[in-house]
Amino acid sequence: MDRLVNTVRPYAWGSTTAIPELLGVAPTGEPQAEMWMGAHPGAPSRTERGSLNELIAADPVRELGQRSVEKFGPRLPFLLKVLAAGAPLSLQAHPDLAQARAGYAAEEAADIPIDAAHRTYKDANHKPELICALTPFEGLCGFRAPAEAADLLAALGVDSLKPYVDLLHAHPEEAALREVLTALLTADPEEMAHTVAEAAAAADRLGGAHVPYASLAHHYPSDPGVIAAMLLNRVVLQPGEALYLGAGVPHAYLSGLGVEIMANSDNVLRCGLTPKHIDVPELLRVVRFEPTDPAVLRPEASETGEEVYDTPIDEFRLSRFVRPEGAAPTDLTSPAPQILLAVAGRPKAGEVTLAAGESVFVPAGERTELSGTGTVFRATVVA
């Protein structure tokens, strides 16, 4: 197996303390948003044998196993991260596989540079993802019932929001949500800035359920995403709880530290809370305008002590082991590739002792035993 040296991405929304605290190092004072573990070309993990993407490219069957290569191609299908949100991330959604392939092909045919600011599709893959909380973790996920969103907006008492409130009481609900989000994203910027300012002042005054939106406006003054965020369910995860985010589900992470796993893709369609490009027509094509009750996932324990987060896709499978003192070793040998990430204690993967925040890549078929005390996340595929 290979001990991984991982890149920490310094995005502006990152916490300055959460990842350093996990790693047991002094903060630098700069934001540290995401630590990437995997073979993504943007920031591949490094090993003593070379970068992980180079190792896989040189011999994909050896590193990934025959079944994984046949099913997903000659690349690691997932990307594992530690995510530390010190400020809200952009409101966003992800395409399904067919949408990603069509969108990527269209932008390639139009000769839009892959790094262009207005480019939407960076690759031809979908991007389902799972976030598991390590600390209390706050986010937005999926549309509320429109009547609930209407009540939240109406309570602000802002005249310019009344047309949106009226629209949210219309039927069918999916059409009402589509019309309101479209109106928000295509409104006159100066008028919207005034509306957001009034709404933020009212939210600050009201407190309670409106507190998160006053905070959003503090980070993103004049952004229509502040109003759009009120259309979504607010969710607070406790440590060990998780959310699965499938295609078309609008969401945003607001605060907290978590372990995130996703299909290996960069495809993001932004809805707001960002200075970056918003492709409104494509966003409206991808978003699923249906009210949902966000299902908080809790892991299902097996006889081996492995606690699995059940998701409906095959590109990744996330589980964890919470190992008490004196626990018997667990055989993790698998025909699929694995990344093991310690988040507490000093467990051992084979002969490698892992401190919190340290990880290893285990090639397919390599004999692996987990021992010692601590908490370990296991990322692999369903092949």
Side-chain angles (χ1 to χ4, degrees):
M1 71 181 64
D2 299 278
R3 185 185 290 274
L4 298 179
V5 178
N6 303 307
T7 297
V8 176
R9 310 304 293 261
Y11 305 138
W13 50 261
S15 167
T16 58
T17 58
I19 288 179
E21 285 176 4
L22 176 68
L23 298 176
V25 300
T28 64
E30 298 298 316
Q32 298 188 36
E34 295 180 348
M35 183 171 71
W36 288 22
M37 290 154 281
H40 192 285
S45 298
R46 302 177 300 283
T47 76
E48 289 186 352
R49 295 190 289 150
S51 68
L52 190 54
N53 57 342
E54 291 172 342
L55 297 183
I56 291 170
D59 195 343
V61 172
R62 177 191 173 197
E63 304 295 338
L64 304 177
Q66 185 68 41
R67 281 188 287 179
S68 181
V69 171
E70 289 175 354
K71 191 168 185 178
F72 305 111
R75 66 173 192 161
L76 189 66
F78 62 83
L79 176 63
L80 184 66
K81 299 180 181 180
V82 173
L83 183 147
L89 282 67
S90 63
L91 190 59
Q92 59 190 256
H94 306 301
D96 63 26
L97 189 56
Q99 291 165 339
R101 287 173 173 169
Y104 181 77
E107 291 189 327
E108 286 288 281
D111 290 327
I112 300 174
I114 201 73
D115 58 353
H118 63 290
R119 173 100 186 206
T120 297
Y121 291 96
K122 309 295 186 182
D123 53 67
N125 201 17
H126 62 165
K127 192 174 179 282
E129 59 191 40
L130 177 79
I131 183 76
C132 178
L134 295 178
T135 67
F137 194 96
E138 184 178 2
L140 304 170
C141 177
F143 287 110
R144 303 173 185 267
E148 292 179 13
D151 290 344
L152 195 66
L153 290 174
L156 296 170
V158 175
D159 286 345
S160 54
L161 290 177
K162 289 180 180 177
Y164 304 120
V165 172
D166 292 339
L167 285 171
L168 288 167
H169 285 300
H171 290 279
E173 291 185 327
E174 291 82 359
L177 290 168
R178 175 184 289 274
E179 195 162 349
V180 170
L181 185 61
T182 303
L184 289 171
L185 297 180
T186 56
D188 178 81
E190 288 189 13
E191 292 179 6
M192 182 52 63
H194 183 70
T195 295
V196 171
E198 279 194 88
D204 198 37
R205 204 166 48 244
L206 287 168
H210 290 86
V211 167
Y213 311 104
S215 176
L216 287 178
H218 171 75
H219 290 286
Y220 298 100
S222 80
D223 194 308
V226 173
I227 309 300
M230 298 189 198
L231 304 178
L232 306 187
N233 298 292
R234 176 174 173 259
V235 183
V236 179
L237 301 176
Q238 297 306 313
E241 295 180 335
L243 276 177
Y244 172 73
L245 298 157
V249 177
H251 61 277
Y253 302 145
L254 304 183
S255 65
L257 180 70
V259 173
E260 185 182 34
I261 190 168
M262 62 193 65
N264 202 346
S265 172
D266 267 345
N267 289 326
V268 176
L269 289 103
R270 294 173 179 86
C271 316
L273 307 181
T274 178
K276 295 182 179 179
H277 173 65
I278 297 178
D279 184 343
V280 174
E282 188 64 12
L283 173 70
L284 297 175
R285 191 174 74 87
V286 164
V287 167
R288 295 181 179 175
F289 290 95
E290 53 191 27
T292 58
D293 182 14
V296 174
L297 296 178
R298 296 172 181 85
E300 299 177 8
S302 69
E303 293 180 358
T304 64
E306 183 175 23
E307 300 176 343
V308 179
Y309 293 91
D310 187 34
T311 58
I313 50 91
D314 293 344
E315 281 90 341
F316 62 76
R317 176 182 180 274
L318 186 70
S319 60
R320 70 172 183 171
F321 295 84
V322 182
R323 297 182 53 81
E325 188 75 35
T330 304
D331 183 13
L332 298 187
T333 307
S334 168
Q338 305 176 69
I339 291 179
L340 305 178
L341 164 69
V343 296
R346 291 187 66 81
K348 292 182 68 175
E351 298 302 314
V352 180
T353 299
L354 298 173
E358 294 184 337
S359 56
V360 293
F361 173 73
V362 185
E366 182 167 313
R367 174 126 183 109
T368 308
E369 191 173 74
L370 184 64
S371 60
T373 304
T375 300
V376 175
F377 280 86
R378 181 192 198 188
T380 186
V381 302
V382 181

